[in-house]
Amino acid sequence: MRTALYYGKENIDLTEKPKPQVGPNDVLIKNLNASICGTDVAVFQHGPGTGHKISVGEKFGHEMVSEVTAIGKNVKDFKVGQRVYPYPVHASGDASKAGVLGGFTEYLLIKNAQLNHDLYLVPQELSNEVAAMIEPFTVATRAVKRAYPRQGDFACVYGAGTIGMAAAFALRYFGCQKIMIVDHSDFRLSLAKEFGFEMVNSANEGLKAKQLAYFGRGTSLVGNQPQIDITIDAVGASEILQTFLDSTVVDSRIVLVGVDKQPKQIDLLRLTFASQAIIGSGGYRPDDVKTVFDILTANQGQIKKMVTKVYPWEKLVSAIKSAADPQHALNVQIKY
């Protein structure tokens, strides 16, 4: 079977390995499409320790849609030919290995496979390209749920990558009335506009002025601040959290899904007086999968446009390099 092994900075070995043998309780799946995550790009560009815990010599990739190709004699819940979504935390057999499940490897053995635990049946109406984005959509949807969105809320998403864009779709699904996406990529923001979201290129536009014009003035301890109930940080830049804290908009919430490793000093008194909330969101939960199926099904026409290009597996390195260019790409995938 075709297997991609990670060997460090800009070093991927596209090789062949034996296909796994199926045990009596196991399911063998063949990956159809695999989406490239920002963490895959990070470890390719910068080396180990910069994304998921990918060890040298190990398979990687974790955003995919797959097909059942063989089942063990005791397996009752799956049939050959079904399309499935491998839920990484469980399908990997080790939660710490969820990020290196093996989306860039042709076949995977799911041991002791359970329906709606390790593998979920993919709705028939979803294309392979859209279904390959289930995993990042679950990450984004979990982040939005953590913000406790209310009907009519105003929300601002920082980052127009796959997770940021997915968060915007989830916010709309949960009833948010106004949604703005902030990024530096005109290419990605043009898609956001096409999808019906307000957009701002904060590299060359006055962000606060645009926010005030769109959201109006909110109730704040310091006066002239935009009424943003929910902020989703899908970038991980320190200034995003600081802007939120400085706004002191009453009852506002920020969810941090982008990774910012820098320590912070926070004025807890102002945070308390404004009833603001800082919320972390890591990964996803099983109930997010059903929500994502609903979001993808209802918005498939738009969401399919998030896929910039699909490369053959043999061009994995080119695909990762393409995904690293936010000015010309959003979601990039490989197919087998």
Side-chain angles (χ1 to χ4, degrees), residues 67-68 96 107 113 180 194 236 239 243 276 292 309 328 336:
E67 181 181 9
V68 175
S96 69
Y107 289 91
M180 173 182 284
E194 183 178 347
E239 60 267 24
T243 298
Q276 289 180 295
V292 167
K309 190 169 183 179
H328 298 94
Y336 291 85

Side-chain angles (χ1 to χ4, degrees), residues 127-169:
S127 69
N128 288 342
E129 289 81 7
V130 170
M133 292 187 282
I134 293 170
E135 196 275 349
F137 264 79
T138 61
V139 173
T141 298
R142 171 51 42 178
V144 169
K145 287 181 178 179
R146 296 275 291 146
Y148 298 98
R150 299 171 298 205
Q151 194 75 27
D153 272 350
F154 296 170
C156 186
V157 178
Y158 287 84
T162 302
I163 289 177
M165 203 77 81
F169 277 103

Side-chain angles (χ1 to χ4, degrees), residues 308-319:
T308 305
K309 190 169 183 179
V310 180
Y311 288 80
W313 175 86
E314 290 77 9
K315 297 291 185 180
L316 174 61
V317 172
S318 296

Side-chain angles (χ1 to χ4, degrees), residues 187-206:
F187 171 78
R188 293 179 174 185
L189 289 172
S190 67
L191 286 171
K193 183 177 181 179
E194 183 178 347
F195 299 157
F197 304 116
E198 184 71 10
M199 52 85 174
V200 179
N201 187 326
S202 57
N204 51 39
E205 297 181 83

